[in-house]
Amino acid sequence: MSDMLSALLLGILEGLTEFLPISSTGHLLIAQHWLGARSDFFNIVIQAGAILAVTLVFRRRLWELATGLGDPANRDYVAKLAVAFLVTAMVGLPVRLAGWELPETVTPIAWALVLGGVWMLVAEHYAGKRGDVPTISWKVAVLVGLAQVVAGVFPGTSRSAAAIFMAMLAGTSRRASAAEFVFLVGIPTMFAASAYAFLELAMEGGLGGEAWGDVLLAFAAAAVTGFAVVRWLMGYIKAHPFTGFAVYRILFGLGLLVLMPAL
């Protein structure tokens, strides 16, 4: 397989899995085992493509929030987004500097997939008992911020899954409301994380030797695919639970433990 086709497939995979609650890390690890390992810079760039996608999907909501700060409801929502981001930054940065992160190898990722799937089923069950609650509380904002840190420490957890289902357990039982809040707070979170990783890589001299055509193709593929996936997901969860994603995670994780435990 050519390097360019490999880059295209990896970009598509990033766009497909970054915002679905199934872990992009686990899927990219397995894909790069077969398609060839890529540099940290390549992985940062394709994640940036996915961030661009979610920014475009929510562009109207972002504009509404930015231009509607005179509305108390908008100010309250923006303040909660800021709190969730600040919690992630203030807790996550010391954790990152301390090096508290499991290795991106199959066994910990597989267990994170399985346990995350069980977590999703539990959250769906308890959220369903509370009825349709769209409200984002301050408790939800803080816990979403902490959930994003947990996802960073345990590869395979899935940032979107950890945060969405924390929001649902903490009180926001409406799936679409929880997902929208998580995706919106994920925009500054993921931009900041990608920028930090890029600076680390630059300081270590790890930016050279890239095939720029491959990188740009993968970036575009991640952006286009991510845009389509987020648009589809936000419509899907209005009428369907996350149960199918939870079952998929559990089966995928168990499959990895059985078939590829040494990777």
Side-chain angles (χ1 to χ4, degrees):
M1 182 180 296
S2 71
D3 287 345
M4 186 160 283
L5 179 56
S6 169
L8 174 63
L9 293 175
L10 290 171
I12 292 172
L13 185 62
E14 167 66 18
L16 284 172
T17 59
E18 182 63 50
F19 298 106
L20 295 180
I22 57 175
S23 173
S24 61
T25 303
H27 287 79
L28 287 172
L29 174 70
I30 304 307
Q32 292 192 25
H33 174 70
W34 299 109
L35 299 176
R38 292 285 177 160
S39 67
D40 289 339
F41 176 73
F42 179 92
N43 292 327
I44 292 169
V45 169
I46 62 173
Q47 185 180 58
I51 304 168
L52 174 62
V54 78
T55 304
L56 292 174
V57 170
F58 288 102
R59 62 193 183 280
R60 292 181 182 173
R61 179 64 168 141
L62 290 168
W63 180 253
E64 173 189 308
L65 291 171
T67 59
L69 292 177
D71 180 350
N74 278 352
R75 283 202 307 272
D76 181 72
Y77 196 88
V78 170
K80 288 169 181 172
L81 288 172
V83 164
F85 172 74
L86 289 173
V87 168
T88 301
M90 293 173 66
V91 179
L93 185 57
V95 167
R96 176 68 179 263
L97 292 174
W100 293 346
E101 182 180 354
L102 292 180
E104 292 186 359
T105 53
V106 162
T107 299
I109 287 175
W111 278 113
L113 285 164
V114 172
L115 295 175
V118 173
W119 162 267
M120 289 165 65
L121 293 174
V122 170
E124 284 273 21
H125 173 73
Y126 282 103
K129 289 185 173 183
R130 286 197 298 271
D132 187 21
V133 182
T135 310
I136 302 293
S137 67
W138 290 103
K139 179 175 75 171
V140 166
V142 171
L143 291 177
V144 163
L146 292 175
Q148 293 191 127
V149 177
V150 171
V153 174
F154 296 96
T157 303
S158 170
R159 188 199 63 82
S160 61
I164 289 171
F165 290 96
M166 179 60 81
M168 291 175 66
L169 280 173
T172 306
S173 62
R174 184 184 292 180
R175 291 182 292 271
S177 297
E180 180 185 83
F181 184 80
V182 167
F183 287 154
L184 289 175
V185 79
I187 293 171
T189 300
M190 292 171 66
F191 267 127
S194 295
Y196 184 84
F198 181 85
L199 288 174
E200 278 189 326
L201 204 59
M203 292 174 66
E204 295 168 0
L207 299 182
E210 295 295 335
W212 290 101
D214 292 1
V215 171
L216 292 174
L217 178 62
F219 172 86
V224 172
T225 309
F227 182 88
V229 166
V230 175
R231 286 283 300 270
W232 171 81
L233 181 65
M234 292 305 295
Y236 175 84
I237 60 177
K238 289 178 181 178
H240 301 86
F242 284 101
T243 306
F245 296 112
V247 171
Y248 172 80
R249 285 180 64 111
I250 293 169
L251 294 177
F252 182 39
L254 291 175
L256 290 178
L257 288 171
V258 172
L259 300 174
M260 306 181 72
L263 181 61

